[in-house]
Amino acid sequence: MPIKPPSLTTWKVTTRRFFSSTPFRSGHENPLGLPTKGVPPRFSRGLPTKRPLPHVTHIIAISSAKGGVGKSTLSANLSLALTRLGHRTGLLDTDLHGPSIPTLFSLSSPPTLSPKNQLLPLTNYGVKTMSIGYLLNSESAPIVWRGPMLLKAIQQLLHDVDWSPGLDVLVLDLPPGTGDIQLSITQQIPLSGAVIVTTPHTLAVKDAVKGVEMFNKVDVPVLGLVQNMSLFTCPCCSTQTPVFGGTEQVQKMCKDYDMEFLGDVPLHPNIGEDASRGKPTVVAEPESERAKVFMDVARRLAEKIGLESH
C-alpha cells in the first residue's frame, strides 16, 4: 500500500517549527537575513552573476574535497603567514556544518552589525575572520538545514560582511566535498585561485583529484597542492615514518595535472595542540620548522596571485 505524503498544511506547520527553533540569537534580529518562518528561500533561474567583494583584492579558496586532512588548520596558518608577510588578510569559514575558525582563533563573541547592516568581522592575531560558528548558541549546536537554506547562508556570508577598510587577500576555508556550496561560491565571486590540500593516503588523493577536476570545470585556476601530515619524525631517534604511505601518488597527481607542489607539512603533535588551544603554529611557534613550511607556502601563493612583498 503506497504511503500517503503529508498534506501541505502539515508541511507548513513542520517548517514553521523548524525555523522558529533556529539557534541564532546573537543580540540583533536574524544577522544572516534568513527567514524565521514559512518556506525556504527561492532562487532565480539561471546562473548568478559574479560580483567582486567590496574592499577585497584577491580571494583564495582552500579545498580538500575530503574531511580530516587538516584543511582548516592549513587555512588558519596560511592566513596568519600572509599577515606576517605584511598583507592585510581575512579568513572566511564557509564550512557551515563544521565551522572550525572560532576554535582555531579562540573567538566566540557574536559579531555586531555595521551601519549598513553588514556583519563586522572578529579579529585575532591580526587576521579578520568570519564564521557562522560565531552565531551559534553553543559549539555543539548543529546546522540542520536543507540545500536552499545553506546556499542562502553562504550568499549572506559572501556578500554581507564588511571587510573595510580593505583586504589584500581573503582566504576561504571550504567544506569537504564538491557539491552545492563549492559550486555556489565559484559562481558568485571571482576567485584568484584554489589550493588543494591532501594527505598521502590513497583515499585522500583520490578525493583531491575530484577537487582539481571540479575547479577545472568551473574555470578556477589551481594554484598548487599542499601535502599535509606526510612524515612523522620520532622525537627519540629522529627516524622519519610516512604514516599515511609514500608520496608517489601525490607527486604523480601534480605531474598529471600540471600543478605546483607548494609544500610538505609534517605530522607533528604540536600543530594539532596549537590549533586546539586557539593559537595556531605560525603564532605559537613562529621560529619552528613547521611554521617555516607555512611561511614558504604563503610566499609562493602571494607571488602567484601578484601580491607585492612588504
Side-chain angles (χ1 to χ4, degrees):
M1 182 178 179
I3 300 175
K4 184 179 180 181
S7 66
L8 180 61
T9 301
T10 302
W11 185 85
K12 286 184 176 179
V13 171
T14 302
T15 306
R16 188 177 298 112
R17 289 175 179 172
F18 170 75
F19 286 118
S20 65
S21 62
T22 302
F24 299 141
R25 297 289 184 271
S26 55
H28 50 265
E29 183 64 23
N30 205 356
L32 282 180
L34 301 175
T36 56
K37 61 182 179 179
V39 297
R42 295 182 178 180
F43 294 89
S44 59
R45 294 182 178 180
L47 294 178
T49 302
K50 284 188 178 182
R51 290 184 290 157
L53 300 186
H55 312 296
V56 176
T57 305
H58 296 282
I59 306 173
I60 298 177
I62 311 296
S63 171
S64 66
K66 187 174 186 64
V69 298
K71 171 183 53 56
S72 295
T73 301
L74 180 70
S75 298
N77 279 288
L78 282 182
S79 63
L80 290 165
L82 288 165
T83 300
R84 283 190 64 191
L85 292 175
H87 305 300
R88 298 173 300 170
T89 309
L91 178 56
L92 178 59
D93 189 353
T94 65
D95 190 349
L96 303 184
H97 291 297
S100 303
I101 300 309
T103 299
L104 289 167
F105 279 78
S106 189
L107 293 168
S108 59
S109 301
T112 57
L113 287 176
S114 72
K116 295 183 179 180
N117 205 37
Q118 289 185 308
L119 291 164
L120 294 173
L122 303 184
T123 302
N124 202 2
Y125 312 125
V127 176
K128 291 185 175 183
T129 70
M130 180 51 63
S131 170
I132 204 167
Y134 298 147
L135 303 169
L136 301 177
N137 280 340
S138 68
E139 292 184 357
S140 60
I143 297 293
V144 283
W145 291 344
R146 295 190 183 276
M149 289 299 301
L150 294 173
L151 297 183
K152 180 64 176 178
I154 284 295
Q155 180 179 337
Q156 296 287 322
L157 286 173
L158 290 176
H159 298 292
D160 287 336
V161 177
D162 184 1
W163 298 106
S164 62
L167 298 177
D168 297 317
V169 57
L170 176 64
V171 177
L172 301 185
D173 180 16
L174 297 187
T178 56
D180 285 348
I181 291 180
Q182 292 84 351
L183 184 61
S184 180
I185 290 172
T186 59
Q187 290 176 343
Q188 291 194 39
I189 58 175
L191 296 175
S192 299
V195 176
I196 304 297
V197 185
T198 185
T199 68
H201 195 280
T202 300
L203 297 180
V205 175
K206 285 182 177 293
D207 281 349
V209 168
K210 297 175 184 176
V212 175
E213 292 282 6
M214 177 195 70
F215 286 117
N216 288 340
K217 287 183 179 180
V218 295
D219 296 323
V220 172
V222 177
L223 302 174
L225 180 144
V226 176
Q227 181 173 247
N228 195 21
M229 297 185 280
S230 57
L231 290 175
F232 172 73
T233 302
C234 177
C236 299
C237 64
S238 299
T239 300
Q240 291 187 328
T241 304
V243 178
F244 294 107
T247 63
E248 298 81 7
Q249 295 183 88
V250 173
Q251 294 172 356
K252 183 178 183 301
M253 177 184 171
C254 289
K255 182 178 180 181
D256 291 344
Y257 287 91
D258 193 24
M259 288 189 303
E260 181 178 345
F261 185 82
L262 295 173
D264 199 346
V265 182
L267 178 63
H268 196 284
N270 282 18
I271 295 179
E273 291 175 4
D274 292 339
S276 298
R277 61 191 179 94
K279 196 172 184 179
T281 299
V282 170
V283 174
E285 304 172 278
E287 302 305 319
S288 66
E289 291 300 320
R290 302 172 292 284
K292 291 178 182 178
V293 173
F294 294 122
M295 293 297 298
D296 288 342
V297 174
R299 288 190 186 93
R300 291 188 181 184
L301 288 176
E303 292 175 2
K304 279 181 165 290
I305 63 175
L307 282 178
E308 296 182 0
S309 300
H310 292 275

